[in-house]
Amino acid sequence: MKLRDIDISKEQKQLYNAFEDCLKKVSGDFFLEGFAKEKIKHSMQVVGAGNLILKQEKSFQSKGQNFFRLGKLVCLFHDIGRFREIYMLSQDATKHYNHGYFSYEMLKDLGYTDLRLLLAVKRHGELADALENDSEFQQMSEGTKKEETRELYGLVKDADKIANLYLIKHEERIFKDLFFEHLSDEDKYAPISDKVMQAVKNNSLVVRGDDKSFSDRLIQIMCFVFEIYYQPSYEFIVKHKLFDNLFGYLLKYCPDKEQAQFVCNYMNDYLNSKIL
C-alpha cells in the first residue's frame, strides 16, 4: 500500500467537526473566526508537508503502514487543540493556552490511545527536551515505539515549519504575524540585537523575549532551520526559496546593511550545506 492509499477521511472529518463547532461558538467575532479558518487551512498544509517528508525521508523507507498512518495523523491533528484555544480566547483573552496540550486532550476524548501519536501532538510546539522530560514518555520502554515517538515529533515539527515558511512567502502574512504594525518606528528599523546575532553564530534558536526589533523577529524565524530534523525539509526550503523574502525584508529594515548581509549569507550557506 502506498502513502496516498492510506485513507484518513474519517479522521479528517473529526478535525472538521472540531473546526465547525469552534466557528459556531465564536460566531460574530471576525478575528477569531478568521483565526479558526486559518488553522484548518494550515492543518491541511501540514498534512501535505508531512506527506512529502514521509515519502522522501530515507530513514522512513523501512517503516510499516502503521507508522505512515500515524505520520499522517500527527500532522492532521497537531493543531486540533487550536479550536479549543480559540474558544477559550473568546472567554478570556488575557490568559495563555497550550494548544498542544489541548490537542492531546481532545484526541484522548475521541478515543485515541497510541502514545506515539498523543505525545508527538502534545509536545509539537515545544523543544525536544519537553518530549524527553514528559512523564508518559519517560515511562515508555526504550525500543521501537519510543524511537518512533521521537521520529513522529520531528516529522510534525518539520512539516509545521515548512508549511509556515511557505505561507509567509506566498501570502505575505509576515507583517501581521510579527505584529509589525504595533512596533514603534524605532523598533521597526532597529539593528539586530547582540543576543540574536549570537544565536545565529551559535546555530541556535532565538530565545523568546530576546527579539526586540523587526529584524530580530525575522531572524527568529530563520533560526528555526537549526531545529530541522529531516533532509527533505531542507531540500524543500532551498528548492522553493522560502528564505528569499525574509532576506529581502531583513536587508530593507535592518539599518546595518553589513550586519544584515552577514546573516543572509550565513543562513544561505547553512541551508546549502544541508542539501549537499
Side-chain angles (χ1 to χ4, degrees):
M1 182 183 288
K2 296 182 179 179
L3 184 66
R4 66 172 176 266
D5 296 325
I6 297 176
D7 183 12
I8 59 169
S9 56
K10 182 192 77 168
E11 293 84 358
Q12 187 171 319
K13 179 61 176 174
Q14 291 175 321
L15 177 70
Y16 271 84
N17 286 342
F19 162 63
E20 290 163 3
D21 182 59
C22 174
L23 277 186
K24 291 177 184 176
K25 289 178 178 178
V26 301
S27 177
D29 188 313
F30 178 78
F31 173 77
L32 293 180
E33 285 184 8
F35 190 12
K37 290 174 182 177
E38 285 182 9
K39 288 306 170 185
I40 193 68
K41 180 179 179 181
H42 170 71
S43 294
M44 301 315 299
Q45 290 172 329
V46 173
V47 171
N51 285 343
L52 179 145
I53 299 167
L54 285 167
K55 285 187 291 186
Q56 296 186 5
E57 172 55 37
K58 293 179 182 178
S59 67
F60 292 162
Q61 300 315 301
S62 62
K63 298 290 186 182
Q65 289 302 307
N66 181 254
F67 177 85
F68 285 103
R69 170 174 285 278
L70 287 173
K72 296 186 77 162
L73 292 184
V74 74
C75 292
L76 180 74
F77 284 137
H78 80 289
D79 267 359
I80 191 173
R82 284 289 190 188
F83 304 121
R84 181 176 292 180
E85 176 192 27
I86 290 167
Y87 169 69
M88 295 300 293
L89 287 170
S90 74
Q91 303 301 298
D92 186 351
T94 66
K95 293 183 179 179
H96 172 74
Y97 303 100
N98 185 332
H99 75 278
Y101 188 74
F102 283 164
S103 295
Y104 163 83
E105 289 187 317
M106 291 172 73
L107 289 181
K108 288 202 299 182
D109 289 343
L110 288 169
Y112 293 91
T113 59
D114 195 318
L115 281 177
R116 291 171 293 178
L117 169 65
L118 293 173
L119 294 181
V121 164
K122 180 182 180 182
R123 298 300 182 183
H124 80 273
E126 302 171 80
L127 298 179
D129 60 352
L131 175 65
E132 296 294 332
N133 293 328
D134 186 284
S135 59
E136 287 182 289
F137 183 79
Q138 291 181 339
Q139 290 169 18
M140 294 175 72
S141 300
E142 288 294 342
T144 301
K145 286 193 173 182
K146 195 164 191 175
E147 186 55 35
E148 287 185 346
T149 305
R150 293 187 179 102
E151 292 170 333
L152 291 166
Y153 167 84
L155 169 69
V156 70
K157 295 277 285 189
D158 276 18
D160 202 10
K161 285 186 182 71
I162 62 177
N164 279 322
L165 286 169
Y166 193 86
L167 177 68
I168 286 170
K169 177 176 180 179
H170 292 279
E171 298 193 13
E172 296 193 353
R173 292 291 313 282
I174 195 164
F175 294 105
K176 180 177 179 181
D177 290 344
L178 296 185
F179 308 104
F180 177 83
E181 295 177 356
H182 300 290
L183 291 172
S184 66
D185 287 341
E186 181 181 0
D187 285 338
K188 286 178 183 177
Y189 293 95
I192 302 165
S193 67
D194 291 340
K195 289 183 178 179
V196 170
M197 182 59 78
Q198 195 59 51
V200 173
K201 294 177 179 179
N202 291 341
N203 291 4
S204 62
L205 299 177
V206 174
V207 176
R208 183 175 296 177
D210 286 348
D211 53 318
K212 306 298 184 184
S213 66
F214 185 55
S215 293
D216 287 346
R217 294 180 181 187
L218 290 168
I219 293 171
Q220 187 175 47
I221 293 174
M222 295 181 199
C223 286
F224 285 163
V225 299
F226 298 140
E227 198 198 21
I228 292 286
Y229 286 79
Y230 298 114
Q231 178 80 11
S233 304
Y234 289 115
E235 293 172 351
F236 186 89
I237 292 169
V238 173
K239 178 181 178 180
H240 294 277
K241 301 180 179 180
L242 299 189
F243 270 30
D244 281 9
N245 65 329
L246 295 173
F247 292 156
Y249 290 135
L250 183 63
L251 290 167
K252 177 179 178 180
Y253 286 97
C254 181
D256 187 333
K257 303 307 177 188
E258 183 177 347
Q259 189 184 44
Q261 190 63 60
F262 169 83
V263 172
C264 294
N265 292 343
Y266 189 94
M267 289 294 183
N268 197 49
D269 289 345
Y270 180 86
L271 284 169
N272 286 319
S273 73
K274 294 296 182 178
I275 63 171
L276 296 177

